[in-house]
Amino acid sequence: MAVGFAPAFPFLPLATRKGISMNHHPQAQQGFTLIELMIVVAIVGILAAIAIPAYQDYTARAQMSEGLSLMDGAKTTVTEYWSNNGVFPTSNTAAGLPTNTTITGKYVAQVEVGTGGLITATMKASGTAAGIASKTIALSPTTSAGAVQWKCKRGGAPADAKYYPTNCSS
């Protein structure tokens, strides 16, 4: 600093210019109290306790619906077989489908055509939601006025009803 050079703010007291506050009032409290933090943690815990099981059920239903998607191709083949022969096929081979264990998906172990054209998808034993592991979902055909209607069922190894799509009633 040159001699005789005036400070940048000569009108401010020296203590303020040097970063020292002349205000002796205590600072206002900042942050959250312990009780406020505990309330927030409790609310988050309650929301998690409700949301996690609902999400797990949703995930299981989504995995189970993969079976319906894979059975859709077999449904077309079984319907065509019935149109040509007047009866339903009793196996994948009779329907002209690959073997049951070659029709698979990320969560589905196999899709099988059985007696009366019943198409059953079996979920994998691992890599699926716990409630649907090795469980089945099925499509059952019926005929009416020359057409084939399909009804979704729970299959021979059923899971809890909450894991099935809404159109699978029994």
Side-chain angles (χ1 to χ4, degrees):
M1 183 177 216
V3 177
F5 184 79
F9 302 101
F11 51 87
L12 291 177
L14 182 62
T16 303
R17 281 186 272 156
K18 292 185 177 180
I20 301 171
S21 173
M22 294 178 63
N23 185 357
H24 297 292
H25 297 291
Q27 293 276 335
Q29 178 185 358
Q30 296 190 4
F32 298 104
T33 64
L34 180 60
I35 191 70
E36 290 170 332
L37 292 174
M38 290 174 62
I39 290 170
V40 169
V41 168
I43 291 170
V44 169
I46 290 168
L47 291 175
I50 294 168
I52 290 172
Y55 179 73
Q56 289 171 337
D57 290 352
Y58 166 78
T59 302
R61 268 192 311 277
Q63 291 174 358
M64 187 68 87
S65 68
E66 182 188 50
L68 284 175
S69 297
L70 290 172
M71 289 188 295
D72 214 31
K75 187 168 77 170
T76 303
T77 305
V78 169
T79 301
E80 185 177 322
Y81 184 94
W82 179 82
S83 295
N84 292 332
N85 300 302
V87 294
F88 289 108
T90 57
S91 68
N92 286 34
T93 305
L97 291 168
T99 60
N100 60 358
T101 55
T102 58
I103 305 173
T104 63
K106 184 173 182 181
Y107 307 109
V108 176
Q110 67 180 29
V111 174
E112 181 174 22
V113 175
T115 305
L118 181 71
I119 305 169
T120 305
T122 304
M123 306 307 292
K124 289 184 177 178
S126 62
T128 58
I132 64 168
S134 300
K135 302 299 183 183
T136 57
I137 184 169
L139 289 174
S140 176
T142 56
T143 58
S144 174
V148 177
Q149 282 87 32
W150 294 91
K151 182 174 181 176
C152 183
K153 296 184 171 190
R154 296 190 185 140
D160 287 341
K162 66 183 178 179
Y163 297 130
Y164 287 92
T166 54
N167 62 340
C168 286
S169 59
S170 59

